[in-house]
Amino acid sequence: MPPGTQTTVREAAFAVFAHWGVDRLFGNPGSTELPLLRGLPFPYVQGLNEAVVLGMADGYARASGRAALVNLHSAAGTGHAMGNLFTAWKNNAPVVVTAGQQARPILPFDPFLFAERATEFPRPYVKWSAEPARAEDVPLALARAFAVALTPPMGPVFVSIPVDDWDRSCTMPALPSLVTRTAADPAALAPLATMLAEARNPALVLGTGIANAGGWDAAIALAEASGAAAWVAPYAAREVFPEDHLNFAGFLPAWRDRLSALLQPHDAILVVGAPVFTWHVEGSGPFWPPAATLALLSDDPQHLAALPGGQGVLGDPALGLSALANLLQPQRRHLRAARRVDPPAPAMAPDHVMSRIAALRPADAMIVEEAPTARGAMHDHLPITRSSGFYTCASGGLGHGLPAAIGVALAQSARVIALLGDGSAMYAIQGLYAARNERAAVSFVILNNGGYAALTGFAGEFGLNHVPGCDLSGIDFVQLAQAQGVPGRRVERVDQLDEALDWSFAETGPTLLDLRLA
């Protein structure tokens, strides 16, 4: 639609969506959103709860590389979505959230389904929030929302739209074509290259920002050019480096003393696409080995603002990694020994389950994980070896993994394996209905230990021997799946595991496996 065309707010909004490549709308409809849905030019992806809606959109945005469009109800619906909106914020997921508002003429009278301070509600977990002052300003606000969401560091945005705006007249605004990636200053990168070249034993600490910028190959190139060990930053929410590569060193913990001990052998440390560092508990001692030189490269100004010493460089991680690799002459260092992990004993335990998934998964399968007690076993026995091969939650909140797996499957053509704890799955179990409706190619694998085991395991940090409210025994996930149209199987014995995995991975639509861990 040419700029200056007289049209309705709805038709102008559809033109804005088309400009930014929107091909579906994630939502759960409410009365204040109905006029938007008239003549919708693309599919509507229904979620039975707004948290499911946000989770699907998050997975879709991160896996597709495009902004995902969400439509929520006013205050209550937005409130239901807030947990996964927080996760989208931490995930740097470019999600554009529109929320219904009551009609403008009755806003002064505190009407039913009214969001009194709509723009403040989702803050601080959105990059930008607006309720346009006039109906004719809605298309321009939506255009700005997409631009803000997609500008690194990416993240969710929020636009509140009164229900009577959609049929009002407006003028179609001009829409920009943006290039949002910004390369670091070459003069700032040169000292980083010197640091790596002169180091005896350099290390790279790689974070989610690398995957967000498409830096998988660039990270490999720099590790090989510098001879550096490649560590995964604490709580990285994406794949950052092939875990079967000789330079792969392992995963850094979110405990200060343990992290510093693992990095102790290194005399130069370059952190890329992550803060220095993400901690889970209060710790003591240095943030990194005192004898090591430290530098940070990130496109997130907040990472630089919180840098506790060392040198910080602002810029696109993928472009920066490539530039650094080009500045270095390949180092003639002794090849590192491959990271070795002993094979697990056959048992219905997370380490054996992960090893069998690794052996039987399709070659192009993608992993979505929200199983906190099994993450260590996954790191050891289910290596991520391909770009776009892994997604998890950066916030620590539950209820993201199940719907996110659906969103990833809608964005990609490969099989998705969703590794879910039983407690995690119950936060968004109604997402299975959307998986059935969308024929999403997801294998939902429930690692069922009958409780919130991550919480009981962590209780020792606070001197607790017992945590109330953590028993989840008695839930039948196969019946929950079948009630929503998803076939499921219960696996109780280790000799049933391979057959069940083969069945699930061979299906074209969604399946669920309830694995009863010993």
Side-chain angles (χ1 to χ4, degrees):
M1 184 182 298
T5 301
Q6 292 299 305
T7 184
T8 64
V9 168
R10 180 174 49 255
E11 293 303 319
F14 290 168
V16 172
F17 301 155
H19 177 79
W20 293 103
V22 173
D23 60 0
R24 64 198 71 204
L25 174 63
F26 295 88
N28 182 282
S31 58
T32 55
E33 296 82 68
L34 293 179
L36 164 63
L37 306 182
R38 186 183 304 133
L40 197 67
F42 36 64
Y44 186 93
V45 181
Q46 176 195 21
L48 296 186
N49 177 281
E50 288 85 354
V52 170
V53 169
L54 237 300
M56 289 192 297
D58 178 314
Y60 186 81
R62 291 202 289 162
S64 69
R66 301 191 303 274
L69 180 64
V70 169
N71 187 230
L72 302 177
H73 203 27
S74 53
T78 302
H80 291 158
M82 281 297 292
N84 275 341
L85 185 62
F86 170 63
T87 293
W89 166 259
K90 288 294 187 179
N91 286 348
N92 296 124
V95 177
V96 176
V97 179
T98 60
Q101 173 64 293
Q102 262 292 6
R104 291 182 186 270
I106 59 174
L107 290 181
F109 304 105
D110 194 19
F112 190 62
L113 300 176
F114 164 51
E116 180 181 358
R117 300 163 74 174
T119 62
E120 297 177 40
F121 191 19
R123 291 184 182 274
Y125 303 123
V126 290
K127 292 181 67 179
W128 183 69
S129 181
E131 184 176 274
R134 306 178 304 165
E136 50 264 47
D137 297 329
V138 168
L140 195 57
L142 289 170
R144 181 174 178 179
F146 278 92
V148 172
L150 289 164
T151 300
M154 297 181 293
V157 295
F158 181 87
V159 183
S160 173
I161 305 173
V163 66
D164 55 330
D165 281 4
W166 296 106
D167 291 312
R168 299 284 180 88
S169 296
C170 73
T171 301
M172 181 67 200
L175 301 177
S177 178
L178 303 179
V179 177
T180 58
R181 299 178 67 183
T182 303
D185 183 351
L189 290 176
L192 274 58
T194 301
M195 178 188 80
L196 293 173
E198 295 179 351
R200 172 186 50 81
N201 185 16
L204 303 177
V205 178
L206 307 174
T208 307
I210 290 175
N212 293 342
W216 176 269
D217 291 333
I220 297 171
L222 180 58
E224 293 178 348
S226 65
W231 292 91
V232 178
Y235 291 120
R238 289 285 308 276
E239 77 292 340
V240 296
F241 196 81
E243 296 168 20
D244 57 352
H245 194 284
L246 282 176
N247 288 60
F248 179 68
F251 301 86
L252 291 177
W255 279 257
R256 193 186 304 182
D257 54 343
R258 300 179 199 174
L259 181 147
S260 189
L262 287 172
L263 293 180
Q264 189 68 41
H266 302 291
D267 57 340
I269 301 166
L270 175 60
V271 181
V272 185
V276 179
F277 290 100
T278 299
W279 309 116
H280 192 185
V281 295
E282 183 181 1
S284 59
F287 285 86
W288 71 88
T293 304
L294 180 127
L296 166 70
L297 170 65
S298 177
D299 61 0
D300 190 337
Q302 296 305 314
H303 291 171
L304 272 68
L307 182 61
Q311 178 182 355
V313 177
L314 184 67
D316 181 278
L319 297 177
L321 288 167
S322 293
L324 288 170
N326 291 333
L327 289 171
L328 292 172
Q329 296 294 325
Q331 301 298 300
R332 297 182 179 276
R333 291 194 171 97
H334 179 69
L335 286 177
R336 299 177 181 276
R339 181 173 179 261
R340 293 182 60 85
V341 178
D342 293 334
M348 283 299 289
D351 52 359
H352 180 67
V353 170
M354 296 301 166
S355 71
R356 298 315 301 155
I357 291 173
L360 300 174
R361 61 181 165 174
D364 59 351
M366 294 172 287
I367 305 296
V368 176
E369 178 267 337
E370 190 177 280
T373 54
R375 184 169 293 183
M378 182 192 71
H379 287 166
D380 288 341
H381 301 289
L382 182 55
I384 305 302
T385 59
R386 52 157 294 199
S387 179
S388 298
F390 178 68
Y391 300 84
T392 190
C393 164
S395 72
L398 299 183
H400 167 266
L402 191 154
I406 302 168
V408 171
L410 295 180
Q412 301 282 346
S413 58
R415 188 81 186 169
V416 175
I417 303 171
L419 305 175
L420 307 170
D422 49 336
S424 301
M426 286 304 298
Y427 274 72
I429 196 67
Q430 64 269 58
L432 295 176
Y433 184 76
R436 189 279 306 268
N437 285 350
E438 299 298 323
R439 299 180 177 85
V442 182
S443 295
F444 297 100
V445 179
I446 310 296
L447 303 169
N448 192 339
N449 54 27
Y452 291 126
L455 190 59
T456 56
F458 194 64
E461 294 284 338
F462 302 98
L464 297 175
N465 295 321
H466 172 71
V467 182
C470 291
D471 181 11
L472 299 179
S473 58
I475 299 173
D476 191 325
F477 284 94
V478 172
Q479 288 191 15
L480 287 170
Q482 291 174 345
Q484 297 177 75
V486 173
R489 293 188 183 183
R490 178 167 168 163
V491 180
E492 297 181 317
R493 302 195 318 269
V494 69
D495 61 347
Q496 300 171 327
L497 180 60
D498 282 12
E499 181 185 359
L501 291 171
D502 281 335
W503 164 75
S504 177
F505 298 162
E507 291 292 303
T508 57
T511 62
L512 182 140
L513 295 178
D514 181 358
L515 306 186
R516 298 297 174 121
L517 302 183

